[in-house]
């Protein structure tokens, strides 16, 4: 108690130096705290983008790489998807479901295709030979196609396709209206591999809930496509239990890819585009933190060293009067800690306000502008629609808010007080190594 009293009295007797240390600590703490808080907000926003994209990972052929490498036709086998690889990856404990899909294009001169919405991000290519239209027929090893399981499409009449179905078909609401079709109606399509037309019965009608889908996709059982000799796997998807496990899953399972021309993708391109401004801000914030932290620590050490060395005579008197060395150290360190705690509290309050202003600037000048400049670059080709979630950057911007959590405050407080204590002990250690006469004479 006596040491605490003497510490306060000492600060009151020499307020100028105490205020000087307070101001320096306040500035350093404020700038470091602002950078750390912005970093945490950026990490939180990137996490939000990943959550919005969903927990679906696609195992697919990398046609762009094959094109760049000018892959010979006799090596196209490297682009094929392997069911064995899918089974191996699917055994990962993070995987909830595996979707192995098959597709084929069937032609019809009877039915009209659904026109794409002008606001849609999907390009539709549905013109076949002799002016006839062709449609993408999809089947899966699973009971429920992934498009329905991820709520991109929704059954509104009848039922979904089942593995035991032989000639059943599920069509879109838009397609049904345009071609005046209803449940239990018969449909026929021409196959390139068979002379006879393939006939189907409408058992379900779905509604398109995502603008990346046009309503021209038909869903049938694998058995129906097998009859058309379309047994080649067109796509494989893994639905994970947690979207935040996507990056770890891709990193761990990349070693199981059968060739360099196959990849695991979870909307990686969209994620990279959307988080590009966040990454830039993260780099800037990191530089700010380290530069200010290192420079600030050096300034603090220098300032406290001067503060303590100026009181060498006082230390000599205390030693000469028989004061224990540990009590002298405790008093000096306590004085600095009192100033540091006051500076810490003021810095936290200021950092919250300054971080709010910086965050608002990032939202207005980086995130929203980036969405406008890149939205036109994100599109999907009909038949290759994305089953990943849609990210609204306005929601990300709203989520980009500063927060001072208990853990952040605790870690920053421990680091800050640690620097202050070390900065105090260095000069004190030197002074206390003298005997009282040396201290008084110097």
């Amino acid at each position: 108690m006596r040491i605490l009293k003497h510490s306060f009295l000492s600060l009151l007797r020499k307020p100028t130096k105490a205020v000087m240390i307070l101001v320096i600590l306040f500035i350093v703490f404020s700038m470091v705290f602002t950078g750390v808080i912005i970093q945490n907000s950026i990490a939180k926003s990137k996490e939000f983008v990943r959550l919005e994209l969903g927990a679906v990972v696609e195992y697919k052929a990398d046609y762009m790489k094959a094109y760049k490498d000018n892959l010979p036709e006799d090596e196209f086998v490297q682009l094929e998807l392997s069911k064995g690889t899918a089974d191996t990856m699917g055994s990962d404990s993070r995987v909830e479901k595996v979707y192995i899909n098959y597709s084929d294009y069937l032609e019809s001169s009877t039915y009209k295709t659904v026109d794409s919405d002008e606001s849609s991000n999907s390009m539709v290519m549905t013109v076949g030979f002799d002016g006839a239209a062709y449609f993408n027929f999809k089947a899966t090893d699973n009971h429920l196609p992934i498009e329905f399981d991820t709520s991109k499409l929704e059954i509104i009449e009848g039922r979904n396709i089942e593995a035991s179905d032989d000639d059943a078909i599920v069509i879109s609401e838009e397609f049904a209206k345009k071609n005046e079709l209803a449940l239990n109606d018969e449909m026929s399509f021409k196959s390139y591999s068979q002379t006879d037309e393939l006939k189907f019965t409408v058992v379900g009608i779905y509604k398109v809930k995502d603008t990346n889908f046009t309503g021209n996709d038909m869903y049938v059982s694998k058995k129906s496509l097998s009859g058309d000799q379309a047994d080649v796997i067109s796509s494989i998807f893994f639905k994970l239990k947690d979207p935040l496990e996507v990056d770890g899953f891709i990193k761990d399972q990349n070693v199981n890819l059968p060739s360099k021309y196959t990849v695991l993708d979870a909307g990686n391109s969209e994620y990279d585009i959307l988080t590009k401004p966040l990454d830039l801000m993260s780099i800037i914030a990191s530089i700010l933190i380290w530069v200010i932290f290192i420079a600030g620590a050096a300034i603090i050490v220098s300032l406290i060293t001067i503060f303590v060395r100026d009181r060498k005579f006082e230390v000599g008197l205390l030693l000469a009067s028989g004061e224990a060395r540990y009590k002298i150290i405790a008093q000096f360190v306590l004085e600095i800690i009192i100033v540091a705690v006051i500076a810490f509290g003021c810095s936290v309050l200021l950092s919250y306000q300054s971080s709010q202003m910086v965050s608002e600037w990032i939202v207005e000048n980086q995130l929203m502008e980036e969405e406008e400049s890149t939205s036109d670059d994100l599109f999907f080709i009909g038949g290759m629609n994305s089953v990943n979630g849609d990210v609204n950057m306005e929601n990300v911007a709203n989520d980009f808010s500063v927060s001072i959590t208990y853990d952040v405050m605790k870690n920053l407080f421990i680091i800050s007080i640690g620097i202050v204590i070390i900065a105090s002990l260095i000069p004190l250690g030197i002074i206390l190594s003298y005997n009282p006469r040396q201290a008084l004479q110097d």
Side-chain angles (χ1 to χ4, degrees), residues 22 41 45 61 81 83 91 93 148 157-159 175 213 240 244 268 275 303 390 395 399 405 412 421 442:
L22 176 65
S41 297
S45 296
L81 305 181
K83 189 176 186 303
S91 63
S93 60
F148 295 90
E157 290 185 54
R159 62 174 176 84
F175 178 82
F213 291 77
L240 306 190
L244 299 182
N268 298 344
T275 59
L303 191 62
D390 295 322
N395 293 337
D399 188 66
T405 64
L412 290 175
I421 292 175
D442 292 341

Side-chain angles (χ1 to χ4, degrees), residues 60-71 76 79 260-263 265 269 379 381 384:
K60 64 181 184 180
D62 191 347
Y63 291 102
M64 290 300 297
K65 182 172 179 57
Y67 173 76
K68 290 179 180 178
D69 293 351
N70 197 21
L71 186 68
F76 278 5
L79 295 168
K260 63 180 180 179
Y261 296 106
T262 54
V263 295
D265 181 77
S269 297
F379 65 91
I381 299 174
M384 298 178 65

